[in-house]
Amino acid sequence: DGPYLTDTMMLVSVQPSTKQVALLSIPRDLVVDIPGYDYRKINSVLSFGRDNKYPGGGEALAVKIVSDVLNVLIQYYARVDFDGFIDVIDQVGGVTVTVDTTFSDYMYPDNNYGYDPISFKAGTQTMDGTKALKFSRSRHGNNGEGSDFARAARQQKVIMALKDKLL
């Protein structure tokens, strides 16, 4: 529900022969040139592409913009909503993630435009899809976990834990 914005964007590079994965988180507030629309935050590209009938839709425009900004060829993309994220992690029986810093986020959004406070204790733990989503999405954590950089690092931990579980 709400605006058609991307919550998270990552560039993923996979080397199948060695099973190595490299991740680059793209800041959601990165300002990019959207052809015909001037400079906007990158998290709005999907919406511009969809609303303005870009060939291939918002996904194709997002691939083009990220490819242009980073000067890399993007061969494939995946778009996953929150429910899909939860389902994937639940389908593999959860993911094991090490939480580096104990933190709380008293402004985590609930489904009624209010808050659902969350907390994570430092240490290794197995997270189901719902807990992994909250860990990944938290934007207002204390103890240094409220920055976009901390959020990106947590998201990468979850993706790498999923990779490890799948392989």
Side-chain angles (χ1 to χ4, degrees), residues 20-96:
Q20 289 182 306
V21 175
L23 301 173
L24 175 68
S25 295
I26 300 167
R28 56 190 271 133
D29 292 337
L30 178 69
V31 175
V32 296
D33 185 11
I34 302 174
Y37 300 98
D38 206 13
Y39 288 86
R40 310 281 182 156
K41 290 181 182 180
I42 199 164
N43 74 330
S44 66
V45 171
L46 196 64
S47 179
F48 277 100
R50 179 196 66 178
D51 293 348
N52 295 290
K53 311 272 188 275
Y54 186 83
E59 294 83 359
L61 182 58
V63 166
K64 178 190 179 344
I65 297 292
V66 171
S67 180
D68 290 350
V69 166
L70 298 176
N71 195 29
V72 296
L73 173 64
I74 298 174
Q75 296 174 309
Y76 306 99
Y77 72 87
R79 195 181 78 143
V80 180
D81 65 12
F82 296 148
D83 291 334
F85 180 91
I86 291 169
D87 288 344
V88 166
I89 291 176
D90 286 345
Q91 288 292 321
V92 299
V95 291
T96 301

Side-chain angles (χ1 to χ4, degrees), residues 13-22 163 167:
S13 178
V14 178
Q15 183 65 35
S17 62
T18 62
K19 297 182 182 176
Q20 289 182 306
V21 175
K163 178 214 53 138
L167 294 178

